[in-house]
Amino acid sequence: MDNLYRDFILEHYREPHNRGVLEPHDLEFADSNPTCGDELSMTLRLDAAGERIADIAFDGRGCAISQASASIMTDELRGMTLDEVRGMDARGVVEALGVPIGPARLKCALLGYKVLQGAVTGSLVTWPDEADVLAQAGGGGSAP
């Protein structure tokens, strides 16, 4: 089963969904993972009421985990309200990858989440607490 999920991650890395920059856009944010140098930016277009995500795109460079995580996460965001996005749990982002993520790769897996939260809050956000995320998401091990 692990190989199936590894292939899933590599597929999203090689052919990421929602890659690009939206013009025009309503919200944007960029950040990096200083541990490994991954960089990511996101642009979001909101609905006419300014309450829901109508479209989303990400761009950047980095490892398979950071890029696949952003691709997988952005697939689920269209139609969500900004309040729903603000209430997202980082554990769900890690769980969506389908493979165990160890402490060394956690910031890679959560870079897209961190950038998304920065976009919807309008400010730099801190990394989620590693112990909380890994304890609840069945952490440990490693991924490609």
Side-chain angles (χ1 to χ4, degrees), residues 2-18:
D2 256 5
N3 285 338
L4 177 66
Y5 284 111
R6 289 178 198 276
D7 290 344
F8 176 66
I9 289 168
L10 291 174
E11 175 187 326
H12 274 274
Y13 174 66
R14 291 182 187 125
E15 299 287 332
H17 303 180
N18 310 304

PDB file of all heavy atoms in Angstrom, residues 2-18:
ATOM      1  N   ASP A   2       1.990   1.220   0.715  1.00  0.00           N
ATOM      2  CA  ASP A   2       2.886   2.376   0.744  1.00  0.00           C
ATOM      3  C   ASP A   2       3.325   2.790  -0.649  1.00  0.00           C
ATOM      4  O   ASP A   2       3.409   3.977  -0.943  1.00  0.00           O
ATOM      5  CB  ASP A   2       4.118   2.078   1.600  1.00  0.00           C
ATOM      6  CG  ASP A   2       4.052   2.745   2.960  1.00  0.00           C
ATOM      7  OD1 ASP A   2       3.018   3.353   3.270  1.00  0.00           O
ATOM      8  OD2 ASP A   2       5.058   2.652   3.686  1.00  0.00           O
ATOM      9  N   ASN A   3       3.599   1.819  -1.518  1.00  0.00           N
ATOM     10  CA  ASN A   3       4.037   2.149  -2.880  1.00  0.00           C
ATOM     11  C   ASN A   3       2.958   2.888  -3.650  1.00  0.00           C
ATOM     12  O   ASN A   3       3.253   3.787  -4.426  1.00  0.00           O
ATOM     13  CB  ASN A   3       4.466   0.890  -3.639  1.00  0.00           C
ATOM     14  CG  ASN A   3       5.817   0.385  -3.175  1.00  0.00           C
ATOM     15  OD1 ASN A   3       6.605   1.143  -2.608  1.00  0.00           O
ATOM     16  ND2 ASN A   3       6.083  -0.884  -3.412  1.00  0.00           N
ATOM     17  N   LEU A   4       1.699   2.514  -3.422  1.00  0.00           N
ATOM     18  CA  LEU A   4       0.583   3.195  -4.070  1.00  0.00           C
ATOM     19  C   LEU A   4       0.562   4.667  -3.671  1.00  0.00           C
ATOM     20  O   LEU A   4       0.427   5.556  -4.513  1.00  0.00           O
ATOM     21  CB  LEU A   4      -0.739   2.522  -3.694  1.00  0.00           C
ATOM     22  CG  LEU A   4      -2.014   3.155  -4.245  1.00  0.00           C
ATOM     23  CD1 LEU A   4      -2.050   3.033  -5.759  1.00  0.00           C
ATOM     24  CD2 LEU A   4      -3.214   2.468  -3.630  1.00  0.00           C
ATOM     25  N   TYR A   5       0.740   4.939  -2.370  1.00  0.00           N
ATOM     26  CA  TYR A   5       0.738   6.318  -1.904  1.00  0.00           C
ATOM     27  C   TYR A   5       1.985   7.065  -2.357  1.00  0.00           C
ATOM     28  O   TYR A   5       1.930   8.240  -2.675  1.00  0.00           O
ATOM     29  CB  TYR A   5       0.580   6.374  -0.385  1.00  0.00           C
ATOM     30  CG  TYR A   5      -0.845   6.107   0.028  1.00  0.00           C
ATOM     31  CD1 TYR A   5      -1.179   4.941   0.687  1.00  0.00           C
ATOM     32  CD2 TYR A   5      -1.851   7.010  -0.267  1.00  0.00           C
ATOM     33  CE1 TYR A   5      -2.492   4.683   1.052  1.00  0.00           C
ATOM     34  CE2 TYR A   5      -3.159   6.769   0.087  1.00  0.00           C
ATOM     35  CZ  TYR A   5      -3.475   5.605   0.749  1.00  0.00           C
ATOM     36  OH  TYR A   5      -4.774   5.362   1.097  1.00  0.00           O
ATOM     37  N   ARG A   6       3.115   6.387  -2.406  1.00  0.00           N
ATOM     38  CA  ARG A   6       4.332   7.030  -2.906  1.00  0.00           C
ATOM     39  C   ARG A   6       4.143   7.438  -4.367  1.00  0.00           C
ATOM     40  O   ARG A   6       4.534   8.524  -4.769  1.00  0.00           O
ATOM     41  CB  ARG A   6       5.544   6.113  -2.755  1.00  0.00           C
ATOM     42  CG  ARG A   6       5.976   5.946  -1.323  1.00  0.00           C
ATOM     43  CD  ARG A   6       7.147   4.975  -1.222  1.00  0.00           C
ATOM     44  NE  ARG A   6       7.304   4.481   0.121  1.00  0.00           N
ATOM     45  CZ  ARG A   6       7.957   5.097   1.076  1.00  0.00           C
ATOM     46  NH1 ARG A   6       8.517   6.252   0.843  1.00  0.00           N
ATOM     47  NH2 ARG A   6       8.048   4.577   2.273  1.00  0.00           N
ATOM     48  N   ASP A   7       3.519   6.560  -5.157  1.00  0.00           N
ATOM     49  CA  ASP A   7       3.225   6.893  -6.553  1.00  0.00           C
ATOM     50  C   ASP A   7       2.275   8.083  -6.642  1.00  0.00           C
ATOM     51  O   ASP A   7       2.422   8.944  -7.506  1.00  0.00           O
ATOM     52  CB  ASP A   7       2.627   5.689  -7.282  1.00  0.00           C
ATOM     53  CG  ASP A   7       3.638   4.576  -7.512  1.00  0.00           C
ATOM     54  OD1 ASP A   7       4.861   4.831  -7.400  1.00  0.00           O
ATOM     55  OD2 ASP A   7       3.205   3.442  -7.812  1.00  0.00           O
ATOM     56  N   PHE A   8       1.301   8.134  -5.743  1.00  0.00           N
ATOM     57  CA  PHE A   8       0.346   9.233  -5.674  1.00  0.00           C
ATOM     58  C   PHE A   8       1.079  10.556  -5.435  1.00  0.00           C
ATOM     59  O   PHE A   8       0.827  11.564  -6.096  1.00  0.00           O
ATOM     60  CB  PHE A   8      -0.660   8.933  -4.553  1.00  0.00           C
ATOM     61  CG  PHE A   8      -1.660  10.012  -4.275  1.00  0.00           C
ATOM     62  CD1 PHE A   8      -2.631  10.360  -5.206  1.00  0.00           C
ATOM     63  CD2 PHE A   8      -1.659  10.674  -3.050  1.00  0.00           C
ATOM     64  CE1 PHE A   8      -3.571  11.342  -4.928  1.00  0.00           C
ATOM     65  CE2 PHE A   8      -2.599  11.649  -2.768  1.00  0.00           C
ATOM     66  CZ  PHE A   8      -3.557  11.976  -3.706  1.00  0.00           C
ATOM     67  N   ILE A   9       2.014  10.556  -4.492  1.00  0.00           N
ATOM     68  CA  ILE A   9       2.807  11.751  -4.197  1.00  0.00           C
ATOM     69  C   ILE A   9       3.661  12.134  -5.393  1.00  0.00           C
ATOM     70  O   ILE A   9       3.711  13.303  -5.793  1.00  0.00           O
ATOM     71  CB  ILE A   9       3.670  11.535  -2.936  1.00  0.00           C
ATOM     72  CG1 ILE A   9       2.770  11.502  -1.698  1.00  0.00           C
ATOM     73  CG2 ILE A   9       4.733  12.625  -2.804  1.00  0.00           C
ATOM     74  CD1 ILE A   9       3.464  11.022  -0.452  1.00  0.00           C
ATOM     75  N   LEU A  10       4.331  11.172  -5.991  1.00  0.00           N
ATOM     76  CA  LEU A  10       5.189  11.471  -7.144  1.00  0.00           C
ATOM     77  C   LEU A  10       4.385  11.971  -8.340  1.00  0.00           C
ATOM     78  O   LEU A  10       4.850  12.830  -9.082  1.00  0.00           O
ATOM     79  CB  LEU A  10       6.027  10.243  -7.511  1.00  0.00           C
ATOM     80  CG  LEU A  10       7.105   9.895  -6.489  1.00  0.00           C
ATOM     81  CD1 LEU A  10       7.784   8.575  -6.851  1.00  0.00           C
ATOM     82  CD2 LEU A  10       8.126  11.015  -6.347  1.00  0.00           C
ATOM     83  N   GLU A  11       3.166  11.455  -8.504  1.00  0.00           N
ATOM     84  CA  GLU A  11       2.292  11.937  -9.581  1.00  0.00           C
ATOM     85  C   GLU A  11       1.964  13.418  -9.377  1.00  0.00           C
ATOM     86  O   GLU A  11       2.023  14.218 -10.310  1.00  0.00           O
ATOM     87  CB  GLU A  11       1.010  11.109  -9.623  1.00  0.00           C
ATOM     88  CG  GLU A  11      -0.004  11.614 -10.630  1.00  0.00           C
ATOM     89  CD  GLU A  11      -1.325  10.870 -10.519  1.00  0.00           C
ATOM     90  OE1 GLU A  11      -1.319   9.670 -10.216  1.00  0.00           O
ATOM     91  OE2 GLU A  11      -2.371  11.526 -10.716  1.00  0.00           O
ATOM     92  N   HIS A  12       1.622  13.790  -8.152  1.00  0.00           N
ATOM     93  CA  HIS A  12       1.317  15.197  -7.856  1.00  0.00           C
ATOM     94  C   HIS A  12       2.565  16.073  -7.971  1.00  0.00           C
ATOM     95  O   HIS A  12       2.460  17.253  -8.300  1.00  0.00           O
ATOM     96  CB  HIS A  12       0.698  15.348  -6.464  1.00  0.00           C
ATOM     97  CG  HIS A  12      -0.777  15.146  -6.448  1.00  0.00           C
ATOM     98  ND1 HIS A  12      -1.672  16.155  -6.716  1.00  0.00           N
ATOM     99  CD2 HIS A  12      -1.523  14.037  -6.226  1.00  0.00           C
ATOM    100  CE1 HIS A  12      -2.897  15.686  -6.643  1.00  0.00           C
ATOM    101  NE2 HIS A  12      -2.836  14.407  -6.351  1.00  0.00           N
ATOM    102  N   TYR A  13       3.715  15.524  -7.694  1.00  0.00           N
ATOM    103  CA  TYR A  13       4.972  16.273  -7.824  1.00  0.00           C
ATOM    104  C   TYR A  13       5.304  16.512  -9.297  1.00  0.00           C
ATOM    105  O   TYR A  13       5.659  17.627  -9.690  1.00  0.00           O
ATOM    106  CB  TYR A  13       6.100  15.502  -7.135  1.00  0.00           C
ATOM    107  CG  TYR A  13       7.462  16.117  -7.331  1.00  0.00           C
ATOM    108  CD1 TYR A  13       7.764  17.366  -6.799  1.00  0.00           C
ATOM    109  CD2 TYR A  13       8.453  15.450  -8.039  1.00  0.00           C
ATOM    110  CE1 TYR A  13       9.022  17.937  -6.968  1.00  0.00           C
ATOM    111  CE2 TYR A  13       9.709  16.008  -8.206  1.00  0.00           C
ATOM    112  CZ  TYR A  13       9.988  17.248  -7.674  1.00  0.00           C
ATOM    113  OH  TYR A  13      11.223  17.801  -7.842  1.00  0.00           O
ATOM    114  N   ARG A  14       5.161  15.476 -10.114  1.00  0.00           N
ATOM    115  CA  ARG A  14       5.504  15.587 -11.542  1.00  0.00           C
ATOM    116  C   ARG A  14       4.465  16.380 -12.332  1.00  0.00           C
ATOM    117  O   ARG A  14       4.813  17.099 -13.261  1.00  0.00           O
ATOM    118  CB  ARG A  14       5.655  14.192 -12.136  1.00  0.00           C
ATOM    119  CG  ARG A  14       6.866  13.463 -11.631  1.00  0.00           C
ATOM    120  CD  ARG A  14       6.992  12.094 -12.295  1.00  0.00           C
ATOM    121  NE  ARG A  14       8.052  11.335 -11.688  1.00  0.00           N
ATOM    122  CZ  ARG A  14       7.907  10.122 -11.166  1.00  0.00           C
ATOM    123  NH1 ARG A  14       6.733   9.512 -11.202  1.00  0.00           N
ATOM    124  NH2 ARG A  14       8.932   9.505 -10.620  1.00  0.00           N
ATOM    125  N   GLU A  15       3.201  16.199 -11.982  1.00  0.00           N
ATOM    126  CA  GLU A  15       2.085  16.866 -12.681  1.00  0.00           C
ATOM    127  C   GLU A  15       1.193  17.548 -11.642  1.00  0.00           C
ATOM    128  O   GLU A  15       0.057  17.125 -11.416  1.00  0.00           O
ATOM    129  CB  GLU A  15       1.277  15.838 -13.479  1.00  0.00           C
ATOM    130  CG  GLU A  15       2.055  15.122 -14.551  1.00  0.00           C
ATOM    131  CD  GLU A  15       2.361  16.009 -15.741  1.00  0.00           C
ATOM    132  OE1 GLU A  15       1.589  16.948 -16.004  1.00  0.00           O
ATOM    133  OE2 GLU A  15       3.387  15.743 -16.399  1.00  0.00           O
ATOM    134  N   PRO A  16       1.687  18.607 -11.009  1.00  0.00           N
ATOM    135  CA  PRO A  16       0.906  19.227  -9.934  1.00  0.00           C
ATOM    136  C   PRO A  16      -0.390  19.861 -10.446  1.00  0.00           C
ATOM    137  O   PRO A  16      -0.431  20.422 -11.534  1.00  0.00           O
ATOM    138  CB  PRO A  16       1.849  20.291  -9.372  1.00  0.00           C
ATOM    139  CG  PRO A  16       2.827  20.567 -10.463  1.00  0.00           C
ATOM    140  CD  PRO A  16       2.945  19.300 -11.260  1.00  0.00           C
ATOM    141  N   HIS A  17      -1.412  19.721  -9.649  1.00  0.00           N
ATOM    142  CA  HIS A  17      -2.698  20.363  -9.942  1.00  0.00           C
ATOM    143  C   HIS A  17      -2.628  21.798  -9.425  1.00  0.00           C
ATOM    144  O   HIS A  17      -1.991  22.067  -8.411  1.00  0.00           O
ATOM    145  CB  HIS A  17      -3.839  19.637  -9.240  1.00  0.00           C
ATOM    146  CG  HIS A  17      -3.926  18.184  -9.581  1.00  0.00           C
ATOM    147  ND1 HIS A  17      -4.881  17.366  -9.042  1.00  0.00           N
ATOM    148  CD2 HIS A  17      -3.187  17.387 -10.408  1.00  0.00           C
ATOM    149  CE1 HIS A  17      -4.734  16.146  -9.508  1.00  0.00           C
ATOM    150  NE2 HIS A  17      -3.704  16.127 -10.331  1.00  0.00           N
ATOM    151  N   ASN A  18      -3.257  22.700 -10.103  1.00  0.00           N
ATOM    152  CA  ASN A  18      -3.414  24.088  -9.648  1.00  0.00           C
ATOM    153  C   ASN A  18      -2.099  24.872  -9.604  1.00  0.00           C
ATOM    154  O   ASN A  18      -1.987  25.837  -8.868  1.00  0.00           O
ATOM    155  CB  ASN A  18      -4.103  24.136  -8.273  1.00  0.00           C
ATOM    156  CG  ASN A  18      -5.354  23.297  -8.252  1.00  0.00           C
ATOM    157  OD1 ASN A  18      -6.236  23.496  -9.062  1.00  0.00           O
ATOM    158  ND2 ASN A  18      -5.412  22.331  -7.364  1.00  0.00           N
TER     159      ASN A  18
END
